[in-house]
Amino acid sequence: MQTRISLAQLRAMDGKDIGCSDWQLLDQDRISAFADATGDHADIHVRPDSAAAQELGSTIAHGFLTLSLLPSMIYAFLPGVEGYTGLNSGLDRVRFISPVPVGSRVRGRFTLDRLKEAPTGGLALRLSATVEIEGQTRPALVAIWLNRFIQSKSA
């Protein structure tokens, strides 16, 4: 497990590409588990024999499943900052560009667009995130992801 980085290391990432994750497999078991967790059992995701899946050649991963992988993808090179607790603030923009066929491998590529002091304390981060599909030129999604790091209280 990667250890937390220092505030100086985080500041050095500002305005830079900060990394690309390992590939993650999106097999039918994972897609079906996401359908069970969210209640989204649309045929295109869980029924390979459906007309919609047949038209695309297979079932596809939920867009929100792909989006939900961002935290696990970034953790390898931004596991946290010493003395701070990370919080998701939201997304300024998300675009689902290409469907992710079952059995595909995806990875995340990240840029720290902006790091600044937050008006209410702590740090505000703006990240550009792209989820790539192995063997395809068009990404699965692109997003502007907002995060906050607030100072941890001393024990």
Side-chain angles (χ1 to χ4, degrees), residues 22-134:
D22 292 335
W23 293 105
Q24 294 189 30
L25 177 65
L26 291 180
D27 60 12
Q28 190 62 56
D29 287 344
R30 195 168 193 184
I31 294 168
S32 295
F34 188 83
D36 290 342
T38 62
D40 181 356
H41 291 93
D43 288 351
I44 194 71
H45 304 304
V46 297
R47 289 199 40 229
D49 61 338
S50 72
Q54 293 295 316
E55 186 174 319
L56 285 174
S58 71
T59 55
I60 61 171
H62 304 73
F64 284 119
L65 167 55
T66 308
L67 182 65
S68 74
L69 298 174
L70 293 181
S72 68
M73 290 175 168
I74 201 169
Y75 189 75
F77 38 87
L78 186 54
V81 178
E82 293 170 356
Y84 288 83
T85 300
L87 301 169
N88 283 313
S89 294
L91 296 150
D92 264 356
R93 182 175 184 215
V94 177
R95 295 293 179 266
F96 299 104
I97 307 298
S98 299
V100 180
V102 65
S104 296
R105 294 189 334 151
V106 295
R107 69 178 177 190
R109 186 174 301 278
F110 300 90
T111 301
L112 179 52
D113 297 327
R114 184 178 61 225
L115 170 65
K116 65 180 186 174
E117 301 295 323
T120 57
L123 306 167
L125 288 76
R126 177 187 156 123
L127 298 147
S128 290
T130 301
V131 176
E132 301 172 339
I133 307 167
E134 188 175 39

Side-chain angles (χ1 to χ4, degrees), residues 2-13 18 75-84 112 125 149:
Q2 173 106 7
T3 59
R4 293 168 152 313
I5 64 171
S6 69
L7 182 54
Q9 288 171 301
L10 179 65
R11 288 191 190 284
M13 294 177 178
I18 60 173
Y75 189 75
F77 38 87
L78 186 54
V81 178
E82 293 170 356
Y84 288 83
L112 179 52
L125 288 76
F149 281 93

